[in-house]
Amino acid sequence: MKTGMKHPAAALVLALGLFHGISATGAEDKPPLILTMPPILAAHASGGGGDGWWQPKPGTSWQWQLSETIDTSLAVAMYDIDYETDAAVISQLHAQGKTVICYLSAGSWENFRADAGLYPAAVLGKPLEGWPDERWVDIRRLDVLGPILEARMDAAVQRGCDGIEPDNVDGYANDSGFPLTAA
């Protein structure tokens, strides 16, 4: 995919906005959940429109699973899984015709990640409420965070992810420890 961007992974992250009526599967004994969430626009090998970008439509079924063994048996159109998921799992989902979006935290530091040591103390803020092993990062420091996030996106591309779900991009609306604003 030619994008004119330095890193091919940067082409995967396009836009976030309001998207209503996406259904998510839960446990088999529970009905699907209907959620309002930001859409994830993804490059998709099979395309989906004249522009070559896949965008979920209202009612798109999906499974969001960030830990443990990924249950690949669900009858859903899209999986949202961790970007460090083994490439073989992503290949299996693609073989089943699934779109695979990969989660990564763009606005917080997670102590369990292999790249946790790359974050200098100066960019680490307060813990996320409810997540004591995760801290907000100073998103104004793109000189530090940019290369880390580009490497994560490149890893997602190498594993076969069709798109990225960047999480924790709302530090400005939380007690991050930094004077962040929406601007």
Side-chain angles (χ1 to χ4, degrees), residues 12 15-16 37-42 54-56 78 80 101 163-166:
L12 290 178
L16 295 174
M37 65 172 286
I40 302 146
L41 301 180
W54 178 84
Q55 182 177 1
M78 182 186 84
D80 188 336
I101 304 301
I164 303 285
E165 176 205 352

Side-chain angles (χ1 to χ4, degrees), residues 140-164:
R140 300 169 300 169
R141 293 297 312 274
L142 291 179
D143 60 318
V144 174
L145 300 176
I148 296 169
L149 295 175
E150 285 178 355
R152 285 181 173 190
M153 290 187 288
D154 287 344
V157 168
Q158 290 170 359
R159 286 182 174 88
C161 300
D162 297 309
I164 303 285

Side-chain angles (χ1 to χ4, degrees), residues 10 59 131 163 175:
W131 303 95
D175 185 14

Side-chain angles (χ1 to χ4, degrees), residues 4 12 21 34 59 61 73 95 97 125 150 164 170 180 183:
L12 290 178
I34 303 297
S61 58
S73 69
E150 285 178 355
I164 303 285
D170 59 348
L180 304 176

